[in-house]
Amino acid sequence: MKTLKIAIQKSGRLNEKSVELLKNCGLSFENYKSSLISSVSNFPLEILFLRDDDIPEYVQDGIADIGIVGENVIQETQVEVAYLQRLGFGKCKLKLAVPVDSSIKTVKDLEGKAIATSYPNILKNFLTKESINADIKMISGSVEIAPGLGLSDAIFDIVSTGGTLKNNGLKPFHDVISSEAILIGRKGEEDEELIQELIQRIQSVLRAKDNKYIVLNVERKNLEKVTALLPGVKSPSVIALADENWVAVHTVIPEKDFWDRINELKSAGAQGILVMPIEKIIM
Ligand code: ATP
Ligand code: MG
């Protein structure tokens, strides 16, 4: 493989984050909204901008080598692709929902009912697994208005915050799948050198985003208490300060532990705490 081709969404919910991820990987390219292909100047990569629904098939058929697309789309198109890396953005769930005053309370109550969705394949698989017979009404958009129009008793749709459901007098009652953006490739080609290099760059960006670089000052007598709270990448760096009773501690901690740790650190004697973003973490 001389030049790798990656397919990403042309416009929509995954476009901006996909472009940002590739840029954070140090790839330099023009992001013209009008063009369908962009060449990366400092890596043998071409970027194809496509409708998200087409991405799994383009990858399966070898028109693109890899792609970034929502797991919901991969499952719905039912293509055979390899999951190379979960990307942590574009998170959403596919849920079953009904009008707030509906008598449908559980999955079993869907027996014999009509369900509107843009995801008929995922829904069909789910209903088969649950041994439910229901009438699937395929509609391509605005699924949430179907019950109000009398088209269906329930809906099966993508939900991130739930605001759209609520505004349409619906309530979710069962989550079927969770989804996020995934880097996909063709099965059997995962070990291709250029693909591996790109995956490593992506992983170093994802790791960096999950962590913060922390610098703090502490009196020597409190150093042990403070370092006990800091499980760093390896161990924290301890640097002498002009005042010999004090030291500076530098380390990396996961963003998710961040606020808990900050309070514990302060009570253990840490002062002047600086928190900085990290660009990349190469392991
Ligand atoms: P395209 O024009 O490329 O076909 P689209 O309209 O089908 O785009 P978008 O609405 O841009 O798709 O959503 C792209 C993906 O973003 C979804 O497939 C899903 O994986 C993810 N996503 C995350 N949150 C939501 C949400 N609240 N609603 C819809 N999709 C979401
Ligand atoms: Mg689409």
Side-chain angles (χ1 to χ4, degrees):
M1 200 177 288
K2 285 208 182 78
T3 303
L4 200 61
K5 290 201 184 71
I6 185 168
I8 66 172
Q9 194 188 22
K10 181 171 168 57
S11 61
R13 286 188 159 89
L14 300 182
N15 166 268
E16 210 174 295
K17 289 273 174 60
S18 305
V19 166
E20 183 187 300
L21 176 65
L22 296 177
K23 297 230 153 154
N24 287 342
C25 286
L27 303 174
S28 170
F29 57 93
E30 300 289 347
N31 183 24
Y32 294 123
K33 284 272 175 246
S34 57
S35 68
L36 294 178
I37 300 190
S38 192
S39 289
V40 172
S41 60
N42 56 358
F43 193 85
L45 181 70
E46 273 179 355
I47 303 169
L48 314 183
F49 296 92
L50 303 172
R51 287 283 310 271
D52 69 344
D53 316 66
D54 299 332
I55 292 174
E57 268 183 75
Y58 269 63
V59 170
Q60 180 184 248
D61 297 347
I63 296 162
D65 303 294
I66 51 179
I68 295 178
V69 68
E71 203 173 357
N72 52 315
V73 176
I74 307 168
Q75 290 198 18
E76 182 59 29
T77 48
Q78 299 186 310
V79 297
E80 287 284 316
V81 289
Y83 281 31
L84 302 178
Q85 178 68 46
R86 308 187 81 82
L87 299 172
F89 61 85
K91 287 194 175 166
C92 55
K93 288 195 164 117
L94 287 179
K95 299 190 185 202
L96 286 159
V98 287
V100 282
D101 57 1
S102 171
S103 61
I104 299 170
K105 303 268 186 275
T106 67
V107 173
K108 295 279 168 246
D109 300 335
L110 290 169
E111 182 66 36
K113 299 287 200 263
I115 311 168
T117 188
S118 317
Y119 293 90
N121 291 322
I122 297 175
L123 179 58
K124 196 164 56 197
N125 289 342
F126 172 75
L127 294 174
T128 306
K129 207 180 73 205
E130 298 284 324
S131 311
I132 304 276
N133 279 305
D135 181 13
I136 299 176
K137 306 270 188 199
M138 162 66 191
I139 45 178
S140 58
S142 308
V143 172
E144 59 287 343
I145 63 172
L149 296 176
L151 180 70
S152 73
D153 305 293
I155 66 160
F156 174 60
D157 201 13
I158 255 187
V159 180
S160 52
T161 60
T164 312
L165 289 184
K166 215 169 171 191
N167 292 340
N168 286 283
L170 301 170
K171 59 166 196 260
F173 70 98
H174 190 83
D175 294 2
V176 176
I177 63 163
S178 296
S179 174
E180 68 184 277
I182 312 263
L183 180 74
I184 55 168
R186 241 181 330 285
K187 287 198 166 150
E189 286 188 2
E190 297 90 335
D191 296 335
E192 184 70 41
E193 203 176 320
L194 286 176
I195 293 178
Q196 278 304 319
E197 182 171 345
L198 191 62
I199 292 175
Q200 272 174 30
R201 288 198 194 194
I202 289 174
Q203 286 175 344
S204 77
V205 171
L206 296 178
R207 264 196 298 269
K209 213 166 56 194
D210 289 341
N211 289 279
K212 293 285 175 215
Y213 190 90
I214 309 271
V215 177
L216 57 84
N217 294 336
V218 61
E219 270 190 280
R220 273 188 200 279
K221 63 175 183 355
N222 293 327
L223 178 61
E224 226 168 285
K225 257 196 296 177
V226 164
T227 52
L229 293 167
L230 294 170
V233 165
K234 263 203 181 119
S235 78
S237 315
V238 177
I239 296 160
L241 293 180
D243 179 339
E244 62 188 27
N245 292 322
W246 285 76
V247 289
V249 176
H250 292 222
T251 195
V252 172
I253 69 170
E255 162 121 70
K256 61 180 166 47
D257 302 344
F258 178 65
W259 289 107
D260 292 358
R261 286 289 156 79
I262 292 305
N263 288 328
E264 287 177 61
L265 288 167
K266 281 207 278 199
S267 5
Q271 291 186 14
I273 304 172
L274 302 182
V275 180
M276 288 168 278
I278 304 171
E279 195 177 295
K280 295 186 179 65
I281 298 181
I282 322 276
M283 307 287 252

